[in-house]
Amino acid sequence: MKSAFAPFYILALAAAASAADPKLTLFTALDAGRLESGNDLKIHDYDPSELALNRTYVDVGYSQQLDSAYFLNIGVGGIFWKAFEPGTGSPESKVIKFGPGISSAFMRWSASPKLDLTFGYFPYKYNAAAKNLGEYLFRTEAYPTIIYTGGWSWLNDAQYRTVGVKATYATETFKQDLGLFGEYFNAPIYDITPAYIATWKPVSGVTVGGAGSLHRFINPSPKTRKVLTRSYQYYSNFYLPEVQSKTRYNVTIPDYAGTASQEVKYAPGTQPNAATAQAQVWATDSSTLQTLYNITSPSAIPLARDTSKTANVAGRSASRADMLRDDILQLAGNEGSDTSKYFGDPNNAGAKPQSVAFDNAAVKLVAFFELDFNAMLGLNAAGMGAFNLYGEVAQLGLKNYPIFYTESAQRRPIMLGASIPTFGLLEHLSFEMEYLKNPVMESIASTYDKLDLPPDPEFRYKAYNRDDFKWSVHAARGFNKFLTLYVQVANDHMRLKDGFARPEYIPVTNAPDHWYWLARIQWMI
């Protein structure tokens, strides 16, 4: 059986060494939990609720300060994981898989105490307080609008991993990062994003920051970019005439040898009755039916009514919409109508197609803050536990497009979080909330499947706002410097992976009542 190999990322890194002596770090973590409520919208009528969640992580890290200027860090390991498959699944989903990978491979050159340059494969995090949500500069797409959380590591991974280069200039109160960040996990792979991030601490306990990026502005694959940015024809305020409910029929006829066969096409009746379906087939293929099959009249055509959900056409009232021309043609076919019924309707007289070309390259702007009340009020952080308020807001793309990405506010996620004191019981107990009023289904099918930047065709013209609000609770308890327990309860953007390590296109947590919980026991020496 083919194994699913994939790179992975985990929070623990042996990146803190400052001495010249090499340091070896051994890390293991066990995740166990359950998806209590969810829905797989791409696989209709399948409910993945009460699905067990478990993964095991191992990592070996090596770091060394080579001299006064150069620092080296390398981490390798793997994940033991189980694939998600709907229903009874496939053999691929019934075994534990192992995915080897690297957690880090970078070098840092310190030109001075304030200036350094990092290059290679490294983790990057700018919002230090964020536990699960946020970090929108790199964990989002603008067109189509998508937010990522987790991935190969469900907990402790509110950060970004990149193959790139980053220059950092830092004083006691002000830090600046300027870099080229290469995309390594989310399609299209290898796009490069130039970005600048600034963090300012004007007084003790107060942190404010801002960032900007030219998301995917550098694409090393011209053919991929050409496909992504191709032009589409569309109609504005196009009239869609009323459609009555219909039933499709399988046309079943004997072949010339006398054995049973089924014609390859359907005969959708304009009304839900067999006679209309028979008449339509007869009008199209009467000579063939008489010559090969000895069927001499429409009523002699055997029909088997197809009652499957995809074969019946639901009726709808007349409406107007902005639609791609290809989608209008597809709609006509699905509804069993000739395209002239749509384009020849008097309400569409004079309608002319326009052109639009979408682009996944986008300008992103981010602002974030943290108020650390322990530092501001002079409290004992070890005795109180984390006590702060933090947040982040982003604008994903400054450009609006017709039809789908029409309003900037629909690409503006907001995250607010707080850690409340536990008086030494926990290291932190953090609550996070997120809001994005995005009517388009958050599906990655557009880039993973067909390199097609309009939204997922299945949900393209259906407003969906049940996933606009997200939340997360994260807690940590350290027993000693080697052993830590983490717990996360959330309704975030969890995408499970199938037997080939491909992520589900739509998060399984996509409605207000969906949620999961996870516990991790982690030890490191």
Side-chain angles (χ1 to χ4, degrees):
M1 182 181 66
K2 182 180 178 181
S3 297
F5 292 93
F8 71 98
Y9 38 99
I10 49 182
L11 182 64
L13 286 175
S18 58
D21 295 335
K23 180 177 181 181
L24 186 69
T25 302
L26 304 177
F27 168 92
T28 300
L30 303 175
D31 287 354
R34 194 164 74 168
L35 175 65
E36 294 295 343
S37 177
N39 187 16
D40 191 331
L41 292 177
K42 289 294 284 185
I43 304 174
H44 302 290
D45 296 328
Y46 178 70
D47 182 0
S49 299
E50 301 183 351
L51 176 73
L53 305 173
N54 53 76
R55 286 177 182 172
T56 300
Y57 309 81
V58 293
D59 185 72
V60 179
Y62 175 85
S63 61
Q64 184 175 4
Q65 192 73 42
L66 302 176
D67 58 23
S68 60
Y70 289 94
F71 173 78
L72 174 69
N73 183 279
I74 300 173
V76 296
I79 299 175
F80 295 92
W81 63 289
K82 184 177 181 298
F84 163 70
E85 295 285 352
T88 58
S90 64
E92 288 282 335
S93 68
K94 294 181 173 65
V95 296
I96 298 298
K97 298 175 178 293
F98 177 72
I102 58 174
S103 55
S104 62
F106 67 87
M107 179 172 281
R108 185 169 63 236
W109 170 58
S110 298
S112 71
K114 295 181 180 180
L115 178 64
D116 62 60
L117 184 73
T118 301
F119 53 92
Y121 175 61
F122 56 91
Y124 184 73
K125 182 176 178 63
Y126 58 86
N127 191 342
K131 301 298 187 296
N132 184 21
L133 306 176
E135 293 281 334
Y136 297 128
L137 188 65
F138 298 111
R139 299 199 306 167
T140 57
E141 300 289 345
Y143 319 107
T145 308
I146 296 166
I147 300 177
Y148 296 103
T149 55
W152 280 109
S153 180
W154 288 317
L155 282 84
N156 302 342
D157 206 51
Q159 60 183 345
Y160 182 67
R161 289 184 181 270
T162 182
V163 175
V165 58
K166 170 182 69 72
T168 300
Y169 181 83
T171 66
E172 291 186 0
T173 60
F174 192 61
K175 176 185 175 184
Q176 302 177 81
D177 290 326
L178 178 65
L180 297 175
F181 297 82
E183 180 55 59
Y184 203 62
F185 292 102
N186 299 312
I189 304 298
Y190 302 134
D191 284 357
I192 299 172
T193 296
Y196 171 79
I197 304 95
T199 307
W200 181 40
K201 297 183 177 181
V203 296
S204 179
V206 177
T207 301
V208 294
S213 72
L214 304 178
H215 180 66
R216 297 185 182 272
F217 264 54
I218 302 175
N219 186 312
S221 303
K223 291 183 178 179
T224 299
R225 182 164 182 79
K226 184 177 180 180
V227 174
L228 283 170
T229 58
R230 65 188 181 275
S231 180
Y232 298 83
Q233 286 191 328
Y234 74 97
Y235 287 86
S236 293
N237 200 33
F238 192 82
Y239 181 79
L240 301 173
E242 180 184 5
V243 172
Q244 296 182 1
S245 298
K246 308 172 190 176
T247 301
R248 290 186 171 183
Y249 292 84
N250 287 328
V251 180
T252 306
I253 56 178
D255 66 13
Y256 62 89
T259 58
S261 67
Q262 178 175 309
E263 189 146 346
V264 295
K265 64 182 178 181
Y266 278 47
T270 55
Q271 295 293 334
N273 63 74
T276 306
Q278 290 169 317
Q280 182 171 332
V281 173
W282 180 261
T284 304
D285 296 317
S286 59
S287 60
T288 302
L289 293 171
Q290 293 179 79
T291 303
L292 295 182
Y293 305 113
N294 197 30
I295 295 176
T296 59
S297 66
S299 61
I301 300 174
L303 294 177
R305 180 169 175 172
D306 191 329
T307 58
S308 63
K309 289 189 175 181
T310 56
N312 287 314
V313 177
R316 60 167 176 79
S317 57
S319 62
R320 288 187 176 273
D322 297 344
M323 290 188 70
L324 299 180
R325 183 178 184 275
D326 289 345
D327 291 339
I328 297 173
L329 297 176
Q330 182 68 40
L331 180 65
N334 291 342
E335 295 181 343
S337 301
D338 189 276
T339 56
S340 61
K341 179 177 179 180
Y342 295 81
F343 292 97
D345 191 286
N347 291 283
N348 290 321
K352 294 182 179 180
Q354 304 175 68
S355 295
V356 59
F358 303 101
D359 196 339
N360 62 342
V363 176
K364 293 184 185 177
L365 301 175
V366 170
F368 56 96
F369 78 95
E370 180 189 5
L371 302 177
D372 184 346
F373 299 117
N374 284 328
M376 294 172 64
L377 302 176
L379 303 176
N380 182 357
M384 292 287 291
F387 184 23
N388 62 1
L389 178 69
Y390 55 94
E392 184 172 343
V393 61
Q395 180 60 57
L396 309 179
L398 302 181
K399 183 177 181 179
N400 293 329
Y401 289 96
I403 307 179
F404 306 117
Y405 315 115
T406 59
E407 298 181 28
S408 298
Q410 295 174 352
R411 303 187 306 277
R412 192 176 300 145
I414 301 171
M415 186 272 285
L416 186 65
S419 299
I420 63 174
T422 59
F423 304 99
L425 179 63
L426 301 173
E427 293 183 5
H428 68 257
L429 176 60
S430 302
F431 300 87
E432 295 177 347
M433 297 178 294
E434 174 185 283
Y435 181 71
L436 173 61
K437 189 178 182 180
N438 175 24
V440 180
M441 178 62 67
E442 192 183 324
S443 171
I444 61 176
S446 297
T447 51
Y448 271 81
D449 191 0
K450 297 181 180 179
L451 294 180
D452 190 22
L453 291 181
D456 189 328
E458 188 171 349
F459 307 97
R460 190 166 288 177
Y461 302 100
K462 301 175 183 177
Y464 190 86
N465 293 103
R466 301 192 69 206
D467 60 350
D468 288 355
F469 181 77
K470 298 293 183 179
W471 56 269
S472 177
V473 180
H474 191 281
R477 165 70 179 181
F479 299 102
N480 49 49
K481 64 179 181 179
F482 310 112
L483 185 65
T484 307
L485 173 67
Y486 296 94
V487 174
Q488 181 169 289
V489 183
N491 177 340
D492 55 13
H493 306 272
M494 173 180 275
R495 289 179 172 87
L496 303 174
K497 296 184 182 292
D498 67 13
F500 297 95
R502 297 172 301 196
E504 292 291 300
Y505 290 161
I506 297 173
V508 292
T509 46
N510 51 67
D513 59 339
H514 294 171
W515 66 286
Y516 70 88
W517 63 269
L518 280 166
R520 168 180 292 184
I521 188 71
Q522 170 180 305
W523 56 96
M524 181 170 61
I525 58 174

